[in-house]
Amino acid sequence: MIRVAVCSDDSMVLEQVQKAADRILGAGSCDRYGEICSLLMALDDGWTYRAVFLDIRWDKKAKGIDAAEKIFRVEPETKIIYMTAYPRQYIQQIFFTSANVNGFLIKPIDDALLEKNLWKLRDAEQKEAPNSLMIRYKSTIYSIRFDEILYLESVGHVVIIHTRTEEHNCYSRLDKLYERLPEYFIQCHKSYVVNMNEIRRMDKSQVLMGDETKIPISKTRYQATKNRYGCYAEQIRMTSRQ
């Protein structure tokens, strides 16, 4: 899963970016920071983000631009999407310092433009991402193509990876493997992650897979799963029409 952060002293902006990221990148993909120092401390502690949506103006100063330069020194691959209500004042200034600038949003932020930035991040991630999951089990390393995986199941301390033809065991945590999977996988239950391309039907309690396997959906994850699958299915339909 792509992980992003949004840093702003505007609570409405924090909520707007997080909700859009949940829809496009997946539930839980966006961390919120109400202070620049909190974001920088998280980066110092080892947190990494594919992109940061960063407010420029703090206390009438361009502290966001200074923060972007610090982020570049720590994580030069992290993309910066600036946000500001003062575009004329800062449009040139953003290029005077070192930063991996990847976008510029004018407040109040237009939802369509925000989503375009998120789709851009997701599409770039897909182009750069590997096409297989590498796992180790009893000193043997396996390479499993993502598109062959139907679903992952956590049983005790083992994750069972169910593919079209066989099963693979892996001593790992489900959430750690989930982070390494493409965006078309969704965790619908604490013990299950499914390939959305293999879903035949979904209701409030379960997912019916193409091979007739029934996967439970937890009550706490139902709404996020429904929203994510709906957005993904719509994207597939739009792509097929082009």
Side-chain angles (χ1 to χ4, degrees), residues 12 14 21 35 49 60 63 65 80 97 103 105-106 120 153 166 179-180 207 210 217-218 221 233:
M12 294 181 65
L14 293 175
E35 298 179 349
Y49 296 104
K60 299 183 179 180
K63 294 182 179 180
I65 295 176
I80 301 295
T97 54
L105 294 170
I106 299 173
K120 179 181 177 183
E153 177 184 10
E166 57 189 337
E179 291 177 356
R180 296 162 54 192
V207 171
I217 302 178
S218 64
R221 295 177 187 267

Side-chain angles (χ1 to χ4, degrees), residues 128-177:
E128 300 171 9
N131 60 9
S132 299
L133 178 67
M134 303 290 291
I135 63 168
R136 180 189 296 272
Y137 184 68
K138 293 183 177 179
S139 74
T140 301
I141 296 176
Y142 299 90
S143 177
I144 309 169
R145 285 184 57 88
F146 293 135
D147 56 9
E148 289 292 318
I149 299 174
L150 301 179
Y151 63 97
L152 292 79
E153 177 184 10
S154 178
V155 181
H157 298 293
V158 176
V159 174
I160 305 172
I161 303 169
H162 300 263
T163 73
R164 301 180 190 279
T165 57
E166 57 189 337
E167 297 178 356
H168 296 274
N169 292 341
C170 176
Y171 289 118
S172 181
R173 285 168 43 190
L174 185 63
D175 59 343
K176 291 299 182 182
L177 291 179

Side-chain angles (χ1 to χ4, degrees), residues 214-231:
K214 296 178 180 179
I215 306 295
I217 302 178
S218 64
K219 292 182 179 179
T220 56
R221 295 177 187 267
Y222 168 70
Q223 195 60 50
T225 301
K226 176 185 176 183
N227 293 344
R228 176 90 179 281
Y229 179 60
C231 289

Side-chain angles (χ1 to χ4, degrees), residues 17 61 159:
V17 174
K61 297 179 181 179
V159 174

Side-chain angles (χ1 to χ4, degrees), residues 29 43 48 91 103 120 161 189 210:
S29 61
L43 294 173
T48 59
I91 189 64
K120 179 181 177 183
I161 303 169
H189 187 280

Side-chain angles (χ1 to χ4, degrees), residues 16 20 23-24 105 109-119:
Q16 181 183 11
R23 289 195 306 271
I24 295 171
L105 294 170
I109 296 172
D110 181 271
D111 284 327
L113 293 177
L114 171 59
E115 291 186 0
K116 282 185 178 180
N117 276 270
L118 290 166
W119 283 115

Side-chain angles (χ1 to χ4, degrees), residues 166-225:
E166 57 189 337
E167 297 178 356
H168 296 274
N169 292 341
C170 176
Y171 289 118
S172 181
R173 285 168 43 190
L174 185 63
D175 59 343
K176 291 299 182 182
L177 291 179
Y178 182 37
E179 291 177 356
R180 296 162 54 192
L181 296 172
E183 51 84 28
Y184 54 82
F185 283 84
I186 180 71
Q187 185 167 6
C188 60
H189 187 280
K190 67 177 181 179
S191 299
Y192 291 92
V193 169
V194 301
N195 182 341
M196 289 192 287
N197 291 319
E198 301 296 328
I199 294 177
R200 176 179 296 180
R201 189 173 65 253
M202 183 179 71
D203 58 36
K204 289 187 177 182
S205 62
Q206 64 184 12
V207 171
L208 179 65
M209 305 297 287
D211 65 348
E212 303 296 331
T213 301
K214 296 178 180 179
I215 306 295
I217 302 178
S218 64
K219 292 182 179 179
T220 56
R221 295 177 187 267
Y222 168 70
Q223 195 60 50
T225 301

